[in-house]
């Protein structure tokens, strides 16, 4: 994006003043430093901030527990039995799906296993799994264990893609070439929507098409994409996807995850799966009879009755997203906010940092990842940033990640961050 930005703090303040989403910062609790100033919180990619309204949503459920106890499953406003259904519509909007294609349940890695149980159906000829070499470790372990469960040697079954020599990120062309060569032996392609380390956004639509053309199933880990990018999972024809809600979806530490199953599969009741009573046909669930009959759609993969307090926090957060108009306006601001950060880094910091995240805004979310290239070590820079009130994070071996989040971060914070970084260097 060749945005004509200008230097100086006043310009940043003017951008904030003209920001139609600026008021949403007041919807959040921003942590404060010992001196009472608000932190520059750039780790919404790790744990999103607490929305102010969450306390009342959770309190409402505590009150129901207090007043109605077990009867709250059926009585009062928003009974617990169908409570998760309240989340389906807004969650579906955020990921570009129909409400029956999404469900909020478990956590990301659990959902990944549930999805692979149904969608990784290897044969001797086609049993390999394509993932990236630097996949988030939980995905790596999950995939290895699935291959081993099916009796395959993970060392042979896992195809780990690396960026080309001299590059930090994987091109769609590289995926295409690999699928062209090995696609017939690959059962599952599992890639991130946004890569946690580099911040690269994959072209999910193109990859899905390429993989389907070779007969592979395609799943995405959207931990860093949900609430960050505009997603169209249904239209892109993605087979399944999983995500968490504690990062960009601001729903609290360890909060319940999200899961997408394309309706092509969700409506097939005979798909093999790990079953539990919460996925069973709602009409007959409480007859307590043997004989599992799945609910059509993603809900049919539920196992247990869900933690209502956590769902209440997710509901509060999704309501904030809906009030902000969904992902489109947020992404529009995000593109500008991150482009401004990149522009300032290039102009004010120059070669003292190397940005790993793609320069093409279509290939990234809000996060920029960089390495320090100066006499001061990256670790020291991070410590200095923290001492000056910036909260960002470090990923081994040497990367600092910063994620200005459009719902609550300001242009002025981006400006101040770069000033502090320049001082630290
Ligand atoms: C990209 C990615 N995948 C998977 C996970 C694991 O999530 P969970 O602990 O909810 O299973 C995380 C957690 O941060 C993540 O960032």
């Amino acid at each position: 994006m060749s945005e004509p930005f200008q230097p100086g703090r006043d310009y940043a303040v003017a951008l904030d003043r003209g920001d139609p989403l600026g008021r949403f910062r007041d919807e959040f609790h921003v942590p404060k430093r010992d001196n009472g100033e608000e932190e520059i919180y750039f780790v919404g990619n790790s744990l999103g901030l607490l929305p102010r309204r969450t306390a009342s949503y959770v309190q409402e459920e505590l009150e129901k527990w207090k007043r109605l106890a077990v009867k709250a499953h059926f009585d009062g406003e928003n009974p617990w039995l169908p409570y998760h259904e309240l989340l389906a519509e807004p969650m579906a909007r955020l990921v570009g799906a129909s409400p029956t294609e999404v469900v909020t349940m478990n956590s990301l890695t659990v959902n990944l296993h549930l999805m692979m149980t149904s969608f990784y159906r290897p044969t001797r000829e086609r049993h390999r799994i394509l993932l990236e070499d630097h996949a988030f470790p939980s995905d790596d372990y999950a995939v290895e264990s699935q291959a081993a469960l099916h009796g395959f040697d993970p060392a042979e079954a896992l195809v780990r893609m690396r960026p080309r020599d001299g590059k930090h990120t994987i091109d769609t062309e590289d995926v295409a070439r690999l699928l062209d060569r090995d696609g017939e032996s690959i059962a599952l392609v599992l890639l991130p929507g946004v890569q946690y380390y580099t911040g690269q956004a994959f072209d999910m639509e193109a990859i899905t098409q390429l993989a389907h053309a070779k007969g592979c199933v395609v799943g995405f880990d959207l931990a860093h994409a949900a609430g960050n990018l505009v997603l169209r999972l249904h239209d892109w024809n993605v087979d399944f996807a999983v995500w968490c809600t504690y990062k960009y979806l601001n729903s609290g530490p360890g909060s319940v995850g999200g899961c997408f199953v394309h309706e092509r599969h969700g409506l097939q009741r005979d798909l093999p799966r790990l079953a539990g009573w919460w996925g069973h046909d709602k009409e007959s669930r409480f007859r307590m009879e043997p004989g599992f009959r799945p609910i059509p759609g993603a809900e049919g993969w539920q196992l247990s009755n869900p933690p209502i307090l956590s769902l209440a926090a997710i509901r509060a957060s999704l309501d904030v997203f809906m009030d902000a108009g969904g992902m489109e306006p947020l992404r529009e601001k995000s593109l500008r906010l991150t482009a401004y950060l990149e522009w300032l880094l290039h102009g004010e910091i120059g070669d003292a940092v190397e940005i790993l995240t793609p320069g093409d805004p279509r290939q990234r979310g809000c996060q920029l990842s960089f390495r320090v290239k100066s006499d001061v070590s990256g670790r020291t820079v991070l410590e200095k940033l923290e001492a000056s009130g910036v909260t960002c994070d470090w990923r081994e071996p040497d990367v600092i990640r910063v994620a200005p989040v459009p719902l609550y971060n300001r242009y002025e914070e981006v400006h101040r961050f770069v000033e502090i970084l320049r001082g630290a260097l």
Side-chain angles (χ1 to χ4, degrees):
M1 188 191 279
S2 53
E3 179 103 25
F5 294 116
Q6 292 168 30
R9 181 175 178 279
D10 290 350
Y11 175 72
V13 171
L15 286 179
D16 284 321
R17 224 176 274 132
D19 173 12
L21 295 171
R23 69 188 170 88
F24 281 90
R25 181 182 176 88
D26 294 338
E27 289 275 351
F28 291 89
H29 292 280
V30 181
K32 293 209 168 92
R33 307 173 62 193
D34 291 344
N35 66 7
E37 278 175 20
E38 285 176 337
E39 284 177 17
I40 298 178
Y41 192 84
F42 280 174
V43 282
N45 56 346
S46 186
L47 181 73
L49 289 181
L50 171 63
R52 288 186 186 276
R53 64 179 80 177
T54 300
S56 66
Y57 281 58
V58 174
Q59 188 57 37
E60 208 175 289
E61 302 316 314
L62 290 172
E63 277 300 315
K64 278 155 63 180
W65 184 10
K66 190 164 105 186
R67 278 188 300 105
L68 301 170
V70 72
K71 294 187 193 118
H73 282 102
F74 311 98
D75 296 347
E77 208 182 330
N78 302 325
W80 293 339
L81 203 65
Y83 194 91
H84 68 277
E85 293 171 15
L86 298 171
L87 280 53
E89 177 92 40
M91 193 66 104
R93 251 184 86 187
L94 283 189
V95 298
S98 76
T100 54
E101 290 176 313
V102 299
V103 65
T104 308
M105 61 179 188
N106 313 310
S107 50
L108 190 155
T109 310
V110 175
N111 289 336
L112 184 55
H113 275 299
L114 292 179
M115 291 295 100
M116 285 197 283
T117 304
S118 293
F119 297 110
Y120 175 54
R121 311 294 303 163
T123 60
R124 187 183 294 277
E125 297 71 37
R126 189 192 277 277
H127 64 265
R128 300 170 86 198
I129 303 177
L130 174 64
L131 74 167
E132 30 125 20
D133 194 42
H134 207 158
F136 192 83
S138 201
D139 295 21
D140 211 283
Y141 308 150
V143 159
E144 269 195 7
S145 62
Q146 286 279 339
L149 262 176
H150 285 278
F152 297 104
D153 172 9
E156 182 275 328
L158 270 51
V159 185
R160 290 191 164 93
M161 275 201 81
R162 284 206 178 86
R164 277 184 229 174
D165 283 348
K167 291 204 71 173
H168 302 303
T169 51
I170 294 170
D171 293 342
T172 307
E173 251 174 54
D174 302 339
V175 182
R177 204 167 308 120
L178 199 144
L179 284 170
D180 211 33
R181 200 188 63 204
D182 294 337
E184 259 107 60
S185 67
I186 293 173
L188 171 67
V189 173
L190 179 72
L191 289 171
V194 173
Q195 215 280 348
Y196 80 98
Y197 187 76
T198 62
Q200 177 193 7
F202 282 78
D203 185 339
M204 289 175 257
E205 182 175 19
I207 289 171
T208 304
Q209 267 179 23
L210 289 165
H212 281 172
K214 285 288 173 180
C216 319
V217 169
V218 187
F220 286 102
D221 172 343
L222 302 178
H224 287 261
N228 184 13
L229 299 179
V230 174
L231 300 168
R232 305 243 179 272
L233 298 181
H234 176 89
D235 293 348
W236 297 341
N237 221 3
V238 169
D239 293 288
F240 71 86
V242 291
W243 59 97
C244 55
T245 58
Y246 42 78
K247 298 178 188 294
Y248 296 108
L249 295 180
N250 308 319
S251 301
S255 184
V256 177
C259 185
F260 165 87
V261 181
H262 198 283
E263 70 184 11
R264 284 181 290 117
H265 306 301
L267 299 177
Q268 282 182 41
R269 294 189 189 214
D270 54 354
L271 260 184
R273 71 188 78 196
L274 291 178
W277 76 316
W278 226 252
H280 182 85
D281 168 53
K282 291 177 197 178
E283 300 302 314
S284 58
R285 185 190 285 147
F286 282 91
R287 281 193 217 133
M288 306 296 208
E289 290 166 351
F292 177 69
R293 273 183 295 121
I295 304 167
E299 277 184 285
W301 271 265
Q302 293 174 109
L303 297 178
S304 306
N305 79 99
I308 296 297
L309 301 181
S310 181
L311 295 192
I314 299 174
R315 213 179 125 225
S317 169
L318 293 177
D319 280 358
V320 178
F321 273 88
M322 294 304 108
D323 288 354
M327 274 319 299
E328 281 80 2
L330 286 164
R331 175 68 171 153
E332 198 182 316
K333 171 174 172 187
S334 177
L335 285 167
R336 204 164 179 215
L337 193 62
T338 296
Y340 178 56
L341 170 61
E342 183 187 40
W343 186 83
L344 285 175
L345 286 174
H346 285 314
E348 303 288 321
I349 309 287
D351 293 341
V353 299
E354 179 196 15
I355 302 176
L356 272 57
T357 313
D360 175 358
R362 288 167 306 178
Q363 291 183 52
R364 67 186 183 207
C366 70
Q367 170 186 327
L368 291 185
S369 305
F370 61 84
R371 284 194 181 117
V372 172
K373 295 273 175 188
S374 84
D375 299 340
V376 194
S377 78
R379 278 275 185 201
T380 307
V381 169
L382 186 81
E383 281 161 22
K384 289 185 179 185
L385 289 170
E386 280 175 354
S388 304
V390 176
T391 304
C392 51
D393 75 8
W394 176 264
R395 282 291 171 265
E396 295 294 347
D398 58 357
V399 158
I400 294 177
R401 304 186 306 174
V402 284
V405 168
L407 253 181
Y408 47 73
N409 286 126
R410 292 182 173 142
Y411 292 91
E412 191 275 329
E413 291 180 294
V414 169
H415 181 266
R416 199 150 29 102
F417 164 75
V418 176
E419 295 270 279
I420 294 169
L421 178 63
R422 198 169 53 164
L425 286 161

